[in-house]
Amino acid sequence: MLNKNEKNIIENSIRDIKDFPKPGIVFKDITTLLNNKEAYATLMNHLAKRYKEYNLDYIAGIDARGFIFGAALAQMLRLGFVPIRKKGKLPYTTISEKYALEYGIDEIEVHIDAFGEKKGARVLVIDDLIATGGTANAAAKLVNQTGANCVECCFILGLTFLDGIKKLQEQTDVYSVIEVK
C-alpha cells in the first residue's frame, strides 16, 4: 500500500488536460510523472515492493505507455519483459486479439513464444491507465492463449467511474495504484 505522502507525490505529478482529445474529456497526462524523478522513483519502488513476492516470470507491457513502466519494473525484479503490440508491429509469428473501441475495432498481438516454453508462466500485465478495459481484457486473454497465466493486471491510474475494472476482474485480478472516481 502507498502511504499518504507517496500517494500525494504520485497524484500531484500527473497533469490534467481539459478537453483533450475532445470536449468533455479530462486527459490524465503521465509525462509529468515520468519527468519528475521523485514521483517516478516513488511509483516504481512501490510496484517493485508490491510484486517482489508474486513469483512472476514475466512482465508484459501494453503498447505503448505500458512499455515504460513494464520494462523498468522487469529490470528491477530481474524478469523478462514482453511487449504486447498493436497489430502488425511484431516481426515473428504472433497471436492476436480484437477488441471494441468507441468507433470500431482494434487489435493487439504478442509473439506466440513470448513467454518461453514453460507452460503456466506467471505474467503481470501493466499499462498506464484503465478506462473501459477493452485493451486490457484483450491483453489478459492473449497472455492466457499462449499457455501462460495472467496473474494480475496493473495500472497506474484506474478510472473507477467507467466499468473497465469490473469487466477485467471477471478474468483476472486488477490493481490500480491511483483510483480516479
Side-chain angles (χ1 to χ4, degrees), residues 51 95 140:
Y51 291 110
I95 57 172

Side-chain angles (χ1 to χ4, degrees), residues 7-144:
K7 185 176 180 182
N8 285 337
I9 289 168
I10 294 168
E11 282 181 330
N12 292 335
S13 73
I14 299 169
R15 174 173 43 199
D16 286 350
I17 312 254
K18 292 182 180 174
D19 298 321
F20 183 83
K22 60 185 184 180
I25 302 289
V26 178
F27 184 83
K28 297 293 187 180
D29 181 13
I30 62 152
T31 62
T32 48
L33 180 150
L34 296 172
N35 73 16
N36 178 324
K37 64 184 178 183
E38 180 184 18
Y40 190 52
T42 299
L43 171 67
M44 295 312 300
N45 288 331
H46 167 69
L47 293 175
K49 184 177 177 181
R50 175 179 172 80
Y51 291 110
K52 187 173 85 172
E53 304 301 325
Y54 269 58
N55 296 316
L56 296 168
D57 296 302
Y58 296 92
I59 306 289
I62 298 175
D63 198 342
R65 291 178 295 263
F67 297 175
I68 297 165
F69 303 106
L73 183 58
Q75 188 278 323
M76 292 173 80
L77 297 176
R78 303 186 58 78
L79 299 171
F81 173 76
V82 173
I84 297 177
R85 303 280 331 250
K86 293 176 181 161
K87 181 78 173 162
K89 300 291 185 180
L90 292 171
Y92 187 63
T93 306
T94 62
I95 57 172
S96 64
E97 184 71 29
K98 292 180 182 177
Y99 59 97
L101 297 170
E102 187 176 355
Y103 299 105
I105 293 178
D106 210 344
E107 194 168 357
I108 55 175
E109 64 186 1
V110 68
H111 282 140
I112 199 154
D113 62 352
F115 304 106
E117 295 182 23
K118 175 186 172 188
K119 292 295 178 200
R122 294 175 53 80
V123 179
L124 172 72
V125 172
I126 191 166
D127 203 2
D128 66 326
L129 179 138
I130 183 167
T132 60
T135 311
N137 268 293
K141 286 178 186 173
L142 272 180
V143 168
N144 293 333

Side-chain angles (χ1 to χ4, degrees), residues 120-180:
R122 294 175 53 80
V123 179
L124 172 72
V125 172
I126 191 166
D127 203 2
D128 66 326
L129 179 138
I130 183 167
T132 60
T135 311
N137 268 293
K141 286 178 186 173
L142 272 180
V143 168
N144 293 333
Q145 286 173 25
T146 66
N149 176 28
C150 178
V151 297
E152 188 165 271
C153 287
C154 172
F155 305 94
I156 310 315
L157 295 167
L159 304 184
T160 60
F161 57 91
L162 298 172
D163 60 355
I165 293 171
K166 272 193 269 183
K167 284 183 197 172
L168 186 56
Q169 286 173 329
E170 293 172 8
Q171 73 168 314
T172 191
D173 290 338
V174 178
Y175 174 64
S176 299
V177 177
I178 304 291
E179 291 189 343
V180 180

